Amino acid sequence: MSISQIRNILLLSANPKKTSQLRLAEEMREIKEGLRLSENRDLFSISAAEAIRPRDIRRAILTYQPHIIHFSGHGSQEEGLIFEDETGAVKFVDGSALAGLFELFANQVECVVLNACHSKYQAAEIARHINYVVGMSQEIQDKAAIEFAVGFYDGLGAGKGYDFAYKLGCNAILTAGIKQHLIPELIQSQNLKSPLSSTVSQNIYIERPPSEAKCYQEILQPGALIRIKAPQKMGKTWLLENLLSYAREQGYQTAKLDLQQAENSILDNLKSFLQWLCVDVSDSLDIEPQVNETWQDIYGVNKNCTRYFQKHLLSVSESPLVFAIDNFERLFQYPDIFSQFCLLLRGWYENAKGGDRVANIWKKLRLVVVHSTEVYPSLDSNHSPFNVGIPIELPEFNQQQIKAFATGYELDKQLGQNLIKLMELIGGHPYLLQQAFVNLKSQQINLEQLFTLAPTEEGIFSDYLRQLLWHLQHNPSLEVGYKKVVRANAPVRLDAEVAFKLHSLGLVKLSGNDCLPSCDLYRQYFSERLG
């Protein structure tokens, strides 16, 4: 960084409704005050944009022409950074989309700071195009985030480079008595490894053949419909994001609808839900919504939604449109909407099978539906989830994939034979492995503590284990059945429906018609807690 050239800094922030409230105003105030007091204060120009929506990012960059962009807010390792939609609710923007945006401004932007939890994943994508990017490897306390920001800009204000400013920010966290100084990570584009093989990507994505190949092949087919299902935290969204990235490489348009973002009022009735869907997809494609102008009550709501997609989304471009619906299981608890929406999706799927003009329009639509199987225990046994199209069920990692995952975190040598011990404890569960690797990498825990505390409330898996315990305690037949499984020394034969639902929760592996715990961690934890 040349100290003689003025640097424009753009401070962006977002704290949508129903997310934990952060001290964003304090962070911005401290940054401005630190630079105002600095020796080189005349060499920095600061602009700010608050409560930003995705479209506001590009507008702010075009308006203020920043050299440094600082984002304060929330992040999610799989979904992306959290911005606001038109109503102030949560709107995710993934790493691929952000990287594509920053690629357009690579000749201008020198440094990006993502002061948000779990933002390392997006930082790695952006760093393909920007020389210096800071992201957070895991959740970071509000106070630690502020201390890092103040230290970082104190360094810049003193005329130091980005790497020194980053180290000063980390030290500021430690000096404040907060043991989170290893969470910020500086990624420099010149230090990025070249794209790895299909085993591990920049996001340490591990392929599980043939799942990815089947998805990539199917998404190219006119009128395709892919269903990705697995228990929670098995990597469904990772697979979805890679599939969407692949589709964009083919020149396809993509739109992702996350049903976790739908407020309860939106799900009050089918009409409000489908109108929200149409607006959200239009916004994703940067098309001005025209729902009010085209919706006609003489038609049923499903027909109106179909007309909107056909006239305003599919007919405006020759490129195929991949429409992905994540967290589809949210609709299972709204049976009236669920049944009608499934009929709608089936209708779109069938529309593409003909040979007329309308069918050719619908052939451009490729549907991807992603849902967790945890909801199965609460469903009526006669209630069949959406079941058309090509199913993709994600398995756990095998031994080779676990080793590749550890290598991605540069922990393979440190773990040595303990990797086998870790595999015996938690199997190949992607989320549990990730939690172990992240905590070991950041030195939040050592190996001895990990193994000793794993099945206890002090362990790093306790939150996840309590979620599973809740499911069991709210379904007596599953609780009784699973108690038999974890306390037995051999596979246990259970009622077929109980076995199916335990398997849907990810709690058991099937050996023929018999059940055994998915991993030793579950055996230890649940044998103590099931009465």
Side-chain angles (χ1 to χ4, degrees), residues 77-220:
Q77 56 196 16
E78 296 182 3
E79 290 87 354
L81 297 183
I82 297 178
F83 297 93
E84 299 189 9
D85 65 11
E86 301 296 334
T87 68
V90 167
K91 178 71 175 180
F92 287 98
V93 178
D94 63 40
S96 297
L98 291 168
L101 173 64
F102 281 104
E103 182 179 10
L104 300 174
F105 298 95
N107 292 330
Q108 170 189 315
V109 178
E110 300 172 353
C111 177
V112 175
V113 178
L114 304 180
N115 210 6
C117 298
H118 301 291
S119 56
K120 175 186 174 182
Y121 303 89
Q122 291 75 50
E125 293 290 329
I126 295 171
R128 296 179 182 180
H129 312 293
I130 305 300
N131 288 335
Y132 298 89
V133 186
V134 177
M136 304 299 154
S137 63
Q138 56 184 286
E139 185 174 339
I140 186 168
Q141 297 175 15
D142 208 6
K143 175 65 174 173
I146 293 174
E147 290 293 338
F148 174 80
V150 173
F152 182 84
Y153 290 100
D154 281 351
L156 294 187
K160 302 297 184 180
Y162 294 118
D163 50 354
F164 181 91
Y166 157 74
K167 293 175 183 177
L168 193 62
C170 294
N171 180 259
I173 298 175
L174 190 60
T175 303
I178 306 171
K179 301 298 185 181
Q180 293 197 321
H181 59 290
L182 297 175
I183 292 178
E185 293 194 19
L186 174 64
I187 305 174
Q188 296 179 244
S189 59
Q190 64 266 32
N191 292 335
L192 285 176
K193 298 175 182 178
S194 59
L196 301 178
S197 66
S198 61
T199 314
V200 186
S201 75
Q202 292 290 350
N203 281 346
I204 318 184
Y205 178 77
I206 306 299
E207 285 199 354
R208 280 169 274 187
S211 298
E212 287 79 9
K214 289 175 65 175
C215 287
Y216 297 156
Q217 180 179 3
E218 187 61 24
I219 206 69
L220 301 177

Side-chain angles (χ1 to χ4, degrees), residues 25 44 54 80 112 129 153 226 288 323 429 457 519:
F44 293 94
V112 175
H129 312 293
Y153 290 100
I226 300 171
E288 191 67 29
F323 176 33
H429 194 291
E457 296 304 325
C519 62

Side-chain angles (χ1 to χ4, degrees), residues 217-233:
Q217 180 179 3
E218 187 61 24
I219 206 69
L220 301 177
Q221 305 306 312
L225 195 160
I226 300 171
R227 290 184 295 115
I228 301 173
K229 62 178 183 176
Q232 287 186 359
K233 301 184 182 298

